[in-house]
Amino acid sequence: MASGGGYRNGNHKAQNLRVSSSFKSKLPPSTSNIRRSSSAGDAVSGRVRVAVRLRPRNAEELAADADFADCVELQPELKRLKLRKNNWDTDTYEFDEVFTEFASQKRVYEVVAKPVVESVLDGYNGTVMAYGQTGTGKTYTLGQLGDDDPSTRGIMVRSMEDILANISLGTDSVSVSYLQLYMETIQDLLNTANDNISIVEDQKTGDVSLPGATVVEVRDQQSFLELLKLGEAHRYAANTKLNTESSRSHAILMVNIKRSVSGREADASGEFDDTSPLATNFKPPILRKGKLLLVDLAGSERVLKSGSEGHMLEEAKSINLSLSALGKCINALAENSAHVPVRDSKLTRLLKDSFGGTSRTSLVVTIGPSPRHRAETASTILFGQRAMKVENMLKIKEEFDYRSMCKRLEVQVDKLIAENERQQKAFEDEVNKIKLEAQQRVFEAEQNFAEELKDEKIKCQMEYMDSIKKLEEKMLYQQKHPTNGVTDIGESHRGFATEEVSELKKLLQNEIQIRKAAEEEISNLKDQIIKLSKQELPGGSSDTIYLQKLLEEETREKKRLEEEVIILKSQLTFEDGQTRSYADRGRNGNSLSGLESLSSLTHPHYKNGSNGDRAAITNLHEQVGLHKIMSLLESEDASVQIHAVKVVANLAAEEANQEKIVEAGGLTSLLMLLRNSEDETIRRIAAGAIANLAMNESNQELIMAHSGISLLAMTAAEAEDPQTLRMVAGAIANLCGNDKLQTRLRSEGGIRALLGMVRCRHPDVLSQVARGIANFAKCESRASAQGIKLGRSLLIEDGALPWIVQNANNEASLIRRHVELALCHLAQHEVNAKDMISGGALWELYRISRDCTREDIKALARQTLASSPTFLSEMRRLHIDV
């Protein structure tokens, strides 16, 4: 409510209150500062602090009292006030503070109310009250909102600003109730339906409460101002001769504060021994409860001067009766009377704790300068003087916050459980890794053993053949030279038995006879064929000629194909790094040894350096023909398949060749190799070729149409070789970048296959997995921005979030970069925010926004955090600055 007179801001600095005694009466000594007691139950004495404030003359007084001096004279530097009785006699009074008409609202607040607000924040009760004649500026001092001029803000507004600035909204709470006492009924200014609220008094402690009042929790200053405006709109006011907007009720703003403080802040109680190790770990936080009463009393008035009549007269009577009851209580307290008539009025019951109770109380008495109202001014000054004699016993109100402690311990237990699960998972992964390594070593040892056994077998066979050959030569020599032969045999083979030698002789003779008979038969057949051809040549048997030509063409075609196979093998030798000669491969039983030796003679330019080999592979389909190369993929010879699939993989690396490979059926053949081949090398190279083809968008759809993702997922589940897994992960990662394939990719097991490959722990494999997840998350983010996707991420549904959070700070920069991008893209869709907060991703996003080495990723993380209401709310709760 606006007061009858205006105020101008002064330049005085706020000073601390000091204790003084009136010239009229001697006051008992009191303490100006509150000292913490040794325990919460002890009390500290504190006198009611009283300040007097002079209102400047209003327009009416400037005109009517122009020839008269003010009835009061202020001496603010001495904290004194002189009240004129007449032109030659004055009464002098001392107060805790004296404010002239030029005192600013800020200075009044800092001297009168701020110490009380600080005490309330420390857990004490506090009261700030304005008392005076109607129209002297009580509502201006307490309740001015300052909408037009911020410097005119009253004590209510400034108190809440200080309270909100000194509490933590995460752990503390502030609630307000706004009431008015009108005609001895307590009414709710925030809810007009509560028009008769009863007072409840605790029989044990004597505390007064209003359970029927509306309680509103305040989170910010703007909402508090809205509550004040709502309350002021419901407060009763009227136009009198003394004030155009005279308050017809007592307004009471009740502010309840609950603050949670640590044990170190509240260690004055001394209930815990700091030397105990359990004291720091299990000491419950202290919950301090303070209550602040801001009371804007209705002004006392004389009916003859105010002109009140009718209903306004009844209001004035009620106001004066309640103020009179308050004055009686203060008189009784000031004189230490055994009986204090608190129950005479609801006003005195509400202010029971403020005067003579446990509250720290500051009183502002407002007076006017007009000599016409000298009697009212003198009554107000005497009221303040009596109030200065009232002693309160200040008592802090604090209790242990076991509920907060339980929540904190629950959070700590959850963190420990999560950490234990992570460590257990890491242990299991390590055991699996060791197990896989052991299996790999056993497999390699078996392979080595098999190869050595095979070599040894071939060596034994060769030695056996050499021995037979030598024996056969000796037997022939014996036949030619009987005497010497027998002697030589007896000398060189003394260890053989005679029967064995004779048996071998018979076998060799039989073999020689059979061979001679076969050779004679072959020669006879050749002669017959020649004769037949000569006989039929003149007649010109068309069938025979046709068959001969066909046989010759087949022979030439066979030789040409064998030469092409030799070319393919010779061109791929640089990839394998093999230095074995063609003669060695012929000795190991390769059926193409003769052709290879022929190729080495026919195509000597293929033995040049690797640069020529690379150029030859790139243009191989022009030399041999792509369809021929594709036909070799179906060869039964594993080595031929390996060389052929290597050629296809190298050709697929060039974008210009990809369309030709697909048209020639290369993609289908590669997928068939992936499905049917049991050779790890063939599957690895085939997966690499598919990964190269999957870089083209049209090829991606073909791969999906041929169930390629299912084959890749099956290969990922069965393979153990890191290079094979790297190729498979690269192929799936390329497919993850296609917006059209998201749902199908997930339904056919692509995401789970990616996540399953992290078991390998090889950096190259993990890099491809991270790239695939980043591509998938980017496509989802794009779909969400376009409104195509509404639900939460498929990555989160498939359980990818824990791995993403775990690797967001991976030591490998490439893995870390992909995972950071994936996190930023996931966070851009608001529906994922809660899952990411519960999964620990918010902390990683915050770290990326501050510590990421890539400026574009850092900026994206900051933008994402700033644009998400859920993230902002959680960060405010955790007191994290964006």
Side-chain angles (χ1 to χ4, degrees):
M1 304 293 292
S3 64
Y7 280 86
R8 293 184 298 274
N9 292 334
N11 297 322
H12 304 287
K13 296 181 179 179
Q15 302 176 2
N16 294 329
L17 294 177
R18 64 181 181 85
V19 179
S20 61
S21 59
S22 172
F23 281 73
K24 292 290 184 179
S25 58
K26 193 69 174 178
L27 294 176
S30 65
T31 315
S32 68
N33 294 325
I34 298 176
R35 179 176 56 85
R36 177 66 59 81
S37 61
S38 60
S39 72
D42 296 341
V44 177
S45 176
R47 178 176 59 79
V48 175
R49 314 284 294 169
V50 181
V52 63
R53 186 179 193 184
L54 178 65
R55 172 182 59 76
R57 287 193 178 192
N58 54 31
E60 180 186 354
E61 291 170 345
L62 288 173
D65 302 334
D67 298 332
F68 300 94
D70 291 347
C71 66
V72 293
E73 178 184 350
L74 304 182
Q75 296 177 336
E77 66 281 356
L78 299 177
K79 308 290 191 296
R80 289 181 181 176
L81 177 148
K82 291 185 178 181
L83 178 64
R84 286 190 173 86
K85 291 183 177 181
N86 45 50
N87 292 334
W88 56 88
D89 191 13
T90 60
D91 289 332
T92 303
Y93 303 93
E94 283 194 1
F95 289 91
D96 294 301
E97 187 63 48
V98 174
F99 298 108
T100 66
E101 64 270 30
F102 304 107
S104 66
Q105 291 279 73
K106 180 179 179 181
R107 182 166 176 262
V108 172
Y109 168 74
E110 289 182 346
V111 173
V112 175
K114 190 170 184 177
V116 178
V117 173
E118 291 174 349
S119 296
V120 173
L121 289 170
D122 285 338
Y124 294 91
N125 289 344
T127 303
V128 178
M129 188 168 64
Y131 178 91
Q133 182 189 8
T134 182
T136 54
K138 298 182 298 300
T139 302
Y140 176 85
T141 301
L142 255 72
Q144 183 71 9
L145 297 181
D147 291 337
D148 298 330
D149 185 1
S151 64
T152 61
R153 290 169 299 161
I155 290 175
M156 288 183 180
V157 178
R158 294 177 186 269
S159 298
M160 186 56 66
E161 289 176 353
D162 269 2
I163 290 171
L164 293 176
N166 285 278
I167 67 168
S168 172
L169 294 178
T171 57
D172 306 335
S173 65
V174 179
S175 59
V176 299
S177 298
Y178 202 9
L179 313 167
Q180 68 175 353
L181 180 61
Y182 176 73
M183 300 286 288
E184 281 302 303
T185 60
I186 301 175
Q187 300 178 0
D188 197 333
L189 291 176
L190 303 181
N191 183 7
T192 55
N194 295 342
D195 56 359
N196 190 9
I197 302 174
S198 59
I199 300 174
V200 177
E201 186 172 347
D202 193 327
Q203 298 297 328
K204 295 182 179 179
T205 62
D207 292 340
V208 174
S209 61
L210 301 171
T214 300
V215 179
V216 180
E217 187 171 354
V218 176
R219 306 287 294 179
D220 55 77
Q221 185 68 15
Q222 185 59 38
S223 61
F224 175 70
L225 292 176
E226 295 297 329
L227 292 176
L228 288 184
K229 291 178 182 179
L230 177 64
E232 288 298 319
H234 295 154
R235 191 177 177 187
Y236 286 100
N239 184 6
T240 67
K241 293 180 179 180
L242 298 178
N243 190 359
T244 57
E245 294 183 7
S246 176
S247 300
R248 313 309 290 171
S249 65
H250 307 298
I252 303 168
L253 180 67
M254 302 175 66
V255 182
N256 289 284
I257 303 173
K258 294 181 181 179
R259 295 190 68 198
S260 180
V261 297
S262 63
R264 292 187 178 274
E265 292 184 40
D267 58 359
S269 62
E271 293 185 13
F272 290 95
D273 183 8
D274 289 341
T275 60
S276 170
L278 296 177
T280 56
N281 294 334
F282 297 101
K283 181 188 292 186
I286 303 297
L287 185 64
R288 289 179 176 167
K289 298 180 180 180
K291 182 171 70 173
L292 175 64
L293 290 182
L294 300 173
V295 185
D296 178 16
L297 295 175
S300 61
E301 61 181 64
R302 293 191 178 183
V303 177
L304 294 178
K305 291 184 178 182
S306 65
S308 298
E309 58 184 11
H311 185 67
M312 290 176 55
L313 177 61
E314 297 300 322
E315 291 175 341
K317 290 180 181 179
S318 177
I319 292 170
N320 289 336
L321 284 174
S322 60
L323 293 177
S324 175
L326 178 61
K328 291 178 181 179
C329 290
I330 290 177
N331 288 339
L333 291 169
E335 297 171 359
N336 294 324
S337 174
H339 173 67
V340 179
V342 176
R343 308 189 69 84
D344 288 358
S345 170
K346 289 186 177 180
L347 177 63
T348 54
R349 293 182 66 187
L350 289 173
L351 299 178
K352 177 182 178 181
D353 192 52
S354 303
F355 293 97
T358 61
S359 174
R360 179 171 188 174
T361 303
S362 287
L363 174 66
V364 181
V365 293
T366 56
I367 58 175
S370 175
R372 291 181 297 157
H373 306 301
R374 182 192 175 283
E376 289 81 358
T377 301
S379 175
T380 302
I381 291 172
L382 291 177
F383 179 88
Q385 287 289 298
R386 288 191 296 270
M388 290 177 67
K389 299 179 181 180
V390 177
E391 291 281 346
N392 291 346
M393 299 302 293
L394 310 186
K395 184 183 295 186
I396 191 170
K397 292 186 177 181
E398 60 184 21
E399 60 187 30
F400 296 121
D401 190 2
Y402 291 105
R403 181 177 300 176
S404 175
M405 180 184 179
C406 288
K407 290 182 180 179
R408 186 179 64 187
L409 291 177
E410 286 176 358
V411 171
Q412 188 174 358
V413 168
D414 291 340
K415 289 182 178 179
L416 291 175
I417 291 174
E419 181 64 25
N420 181 48
E421 290 179 350
R422 283 194 291 268
Q423 292 180 358
Q424 186 175 357
K425 182 66 168 59
F427 175 75
E428 292 176 355
D429 292 343
E430 188 67 23
V431 170
N432 292 333
K433 180 181 177 182
I434 295 173
K435 184 178 178 181
L436 291 175
E437 290 178 354
Q439 292 176 351
Q440 183 69 18
R441 290 179 181 177
V442 171
F443 178 71
E444 291 175 355
E446 290 177 350
Q447 279 188 332
N448 295 334
F449 176 75
E451 291 176 359
E452 291 178 0
L453 185 62
K454 183 178 179 181
D455 294 340
E456 190 67 25
K457 184 178 179 181
I458 294 173
K459 183 179 178 182
C460 291
Q461 290 176 353
M462 295 298 294
E463 291 177 353
Y464 173 74
M465 294 299 294
D466 291 339
S467 300
I468 294 297
K469 186 176 181 180
K470 288 179 182 179
L471 184 58
E472 184 179 355
E473 290 173 354
K474 288 182 182 288
M475 293 295 294
L476 291 174
Y477 180 78
Q478 181 185 4
Q479 289 177 359
K480 292 179 181 179
H481 305 85
T483 305
N484 295 335
V486 173
T487 305
D488 293 338
I489 292 173
E491 292 176 356
S492 59
H493 298 284
R494 294 175 182 177
F496 289 100
T498 305
E499 294 180 358
E500 293 179 356
V501 172
S502 61
E503 185 71 24
L504 288 174
K505 287 180 179 180
K506 292 179 181 179
L507 291 174
L508 285 174
Q509 289 176 358
N510 293 333
E511 288 291 335
I512 290 170
Q513 292 175 359
I514 293 172
R515 183 179 295 178
K516 287 181 179 180
E519 289 176 355
E520 290 176 357
E521 187 177 356
I522 290 171
S523 62
N524 293 330
L525 290 172
K526 286 183 178 179
D527 293 338
Q528 291 178 7
I529 292 173
I530 292 172
K531 290 179 181 180
L532 289 173
S533 63
K534 287 180 178 180
Q535 292 175 359
E536 294 179 357
L537 187 58
S541 175
S542 60
D543 293 338
T544 305
I545 294 171
Y546 174 75
L547 289 174
Q548 286 179 348
K549 290 182 179 180
L550 188 62
L551 181 61
E552 291 174 358
E553 289 178 0
E554 288 293 333
T555 304
R556 287 196 298 271
E557 181 66 20
K558 180 180 179 181
K559 288 183 179 180
R560 189 175 65 82
L561 288 175
E562 290 174 346
E563 289 176 358
E564 288 178 358
V565 171
I566 294 168
I567 293 172
L568 290 176
K569 289 188 175 182
S570 64
Q571 296 223 8
L572 290 172
T573 54
F574 78 96
E575 284 187 357
D576 296 332
Q578 298 174 345
T579 58
R580 298 178 300 173
S581 66
Y582 292 118
D584 293 337
R585 276 185 277 180
R587 186 170 63 247
N588 290 335
N590 194 329
S591 63
L592 298 175
S593 59
L595 293 176
E596 287 177 345
S597 62
L598 179 62
S599 174
S600 65
L601 296 174
T602 309
H603 304 281
H605 61 279
Y606 286 123
K607 293 185 178 181
N608 293 334
S610 61
N611 292 333
D613 292 336
R614 178 65 67 181
I617 286 180
T618 306
N619 300 316
L620 191 60
H621 64 282
E622 297 177 359
Q623 298 176 7
V624 179
L626 204 54
H627 288 280
K628 300 293 178 59
I629 298 173
M630 296 305 166
S631 65
L632 294 177
L633 292 176
E634 301 176 1
S635 173
E636 295 180 359
D637 189 344
S639 62
V640 174
Q641 279 189 324
I642 291 173
H643 289 299
V645 77
K646 284 183 179 179
V647 171
V648 175
N650 281 281
L651 291 175
E654 298 292 335
E655 188 176 355
N657 300 329
Q658 292 180 0
E659 185 177 355
K660 298 177 182 178
I661 292 173
V662 174
E663 290 177 353
L667 178 59
T668 305
S669 299
L670 290 171
L671 291 173
M672 290 298 294
L673 285 177
L674 201 63
R675 180 193 303 272
N676 299 327
S677 178
E678 297 180 357
D679 190 290
E680 185 71 22
T681 303
I682 293 176
R683 297 173 73 183
R684 178 177 72 250
I685 302 172
I690 293 171
N692 289 337
L693 293 175
M695 290 187 292
N696 185 289
E697 185 174 352
S698 60
N699 294 341
Q700 292 172 358
E701 296 179 358
L702 287 174
I703 292 171
M704 295 298 293
H706 288 81
S707 302
I709 192 64
S710 300
L711 291 176
L712 291 170
M714 180 182 66
T715 306
E718 296 175 354
E720 297 295 340
D721 178 46
Q723 296 305 319
T724 303
L725 292 175
R726 178 173 70 89
M727 298 296 183
V728 174
I732 297 177
N734 290 337
L735 294 173
C736 286
N738 193 323
D739 295 330
K740 304 175 183 177
L741 307 178
Q742 295 276 295
T743 305
R744 186 172 177 185
L745 185 70
R746 187 249 183 160
S747 64
E748 294 186 11
I751 302 303
R752 295 192 181 277
L754 271 181
L755 296 176
M757 283 185 279
V758 303
R759 70 182 186 277
C760 177
R761 292 182 171 270
H762 194 281
D764 292 341
V765 179
L766 296 181
S767 175
Q768 294 299 326
V769 171
R771 182 171 71 87
I773 290 176
N775 287 344
F776 198 94
K778 184 177 180 180
C779 291
E780 282 195 327
S781 174
R782 194 158 47 228
S784 300
Q786 295 172 357
I788 301 174
K789 179 174 176 55
L790 301 177
R792 65 175 188 159
S793 170
L794 299 178
L795 289 172
I796 295 178
E797 290 184 357
D798 277 0
L801 187 60
W803 185 85
I804 294 174
V805 173
Q806 185 179 359
N807 288 271
N809 199 15
N810 195 289
E811 294 179 356
S813 60
L814 191 58
I815 299 174
R816 184 174 62 253
R817 177 170 66 85
H818 287 314
V819 174
E820 288 174 345
L821 279 172
L823 270 177
C824 292
H825 288 310
L826 285 175
Q828 287 181 338
H829 195 23
E830 184 68 16
V831 75
N832 298 330
K834 291 185 179 179
D835 290 307
M836 297 186 70
I837 291 172
S838 62
L842 177 58
W843 293 106
E844 294 301 334
L845 277 173
Y846 179 70
R847 178 192 61 75
I848 293 169
S849 70
R850 298 185 53 117
D851 302 333
C852 184
T853 56
R854 287 278 301 269
E855 291 298 327
D856 54 342
I857 300 178
K858 182 190 292 186
L860 181 60
R862 288 181 178 175
Q863 179 184 357
T864 302
L865 289 174
S867 61
S868 171
T870 305
F871 285 143
L872 288 175
S873 175
E874 180 68 10
M875 292 173 72
R876 282 195 297 269
R877 189 183 72 82
L878 298 173
H879 307 290
I880 299 175
D881 296 329
V882 180

